[in-house]
Amino acid sequence: MPRKRNSRLLRLAARPVCAALLFSMVGTTTLSQAAITDTPTQVQARVTSSEAKTRNPIVLVHGLFGFDNVLGIDYFYRIPESLAGAGAKVYVAQVSGANSSEIRGEQLIQELKNLRALSGNPSLKFNLIGHSQGAPTARYVAAVEPGLVASVTSVGGANGGSKVADLLRKIPEGSASEAVVAETLRLAMLLLGAISGKDPSQLPEVPLNALNSLTTVGGAAFDKKFPQGRPAPGSSCDVKSGPAEANGVRYYSWSGVQPLTNAFDASDVAMGGLSLVAFGSETNDGLLAVCSTRLGTHLGDYRQNHLDEVNQLFGLTYAGLWTLFEKKPVQLYQEQAARLKSAGL
């Protein structure tokens, strides 16, 4: 059933657009800039069961270069409607597509506070499900505002950074090449944001901030400040789970471990190429080493690449015999919602 979108009910006073563009051009953004956002988009669907009817609303948090919906296409392809149809109250967050995890986290905090205010329930909490950079974004919220969060679920989360980002970070800092790449990505994100309804004065796009957050050095620094749910530093890759709970917040994760999954999926070429260049023989999903994704209770590793984890491109995930014994991405989200429901979350 097509998605029906709630009206944007809350808008706080926006900073001048010129200020946001100035900060974007120089490549730095302060946390205070992130404090002005809309409410997330609520997803409506015909309810056919109560299997995913969690106590607390589910908020899906996109990763790098992400969006909620562009020209009718979800970032989490067909996942929001599936959860809503199974009884969950589902929102899709609107945060910067390219910025640091901390700034995106501040934007998400304000969105959640807006939703809480609209609900009339001053103690309302949320189940955050983050893909890629959406995972550390959600972790930031849980660390600094644990009273807002019932659980954090990481799906192919960039929790320890990415070796692909390390490769890009080899472009000399301050060079003309870096400036050209950063500005090209910024303009692309502004275009994508305009199509998806994002306001650049509220959700600034600063690709260099995102890149620095997503290197393995940036991931280690983030872990040091916000260790909740993560395995202890230096843990073997055989350690698949971290602490299941911290500050009253439950943590979960699952990961993809197969860069090439479907010959008909054009994105597999990119995932396979990046896997060879950045990871060699290390198990990965095309963008992240599986060891770097661990968070809280480990729920499994699946034959998915980084885009398969959100059912992209357009649901072309597994092919061949794998379809007989591997769970489809949408099913994993449904099962996690049922798990949260059973846990009283």
Side-chain angles (χ1 to χ4, degrees), residues 44 64 104 169 175 191 198 202 204 209 218 253 272-273 294 324 334 336-337:
Q44 302 287 349
L64 180 68
R104 286 162 45 99
R169 188 61 279 177
S175 67
L191 175 61
K198 290 184 180 180
Q202 298 186 14
N209 282 358
S253 65
R294 307 306 193 195
L324 300 178
Q334 290 174 330
Q336 177 59 358

Side-chain angles (χ1 to χ4, degrees), residues 157 161-163 256 279 282-285 287-294:
S162 170
K163 291 183 178 179
F279 301 102
E282 187 176 7
T283 303
N284 68 89
D285 68 358
L287 285 179
L288 297 170
V290 67
C291 296
S292 70
T293 65
R294 307 306 193 195

Side-chain angles (χ1 to χ4, degrees), residues 135-136 139 154 157-161 216 219-220 222-224 226-235 239-246 251 253 289-297:
R139 288 171 54 202
S154 167
N159 294 309
T216 54
F222 188 90
D223 277 351
K224 188 173 182 179
F226 311 110
Q228 294 85 351
R230 286 282 283 157
S235 295
V239 178
K240 295 185 177 182
S241 292
E245 185 172 346
Y251 290 87
S253 65
V290 67
C291 296
S292 70
T293 65
R294 307 306 193 195
L295 185 75
T297 301

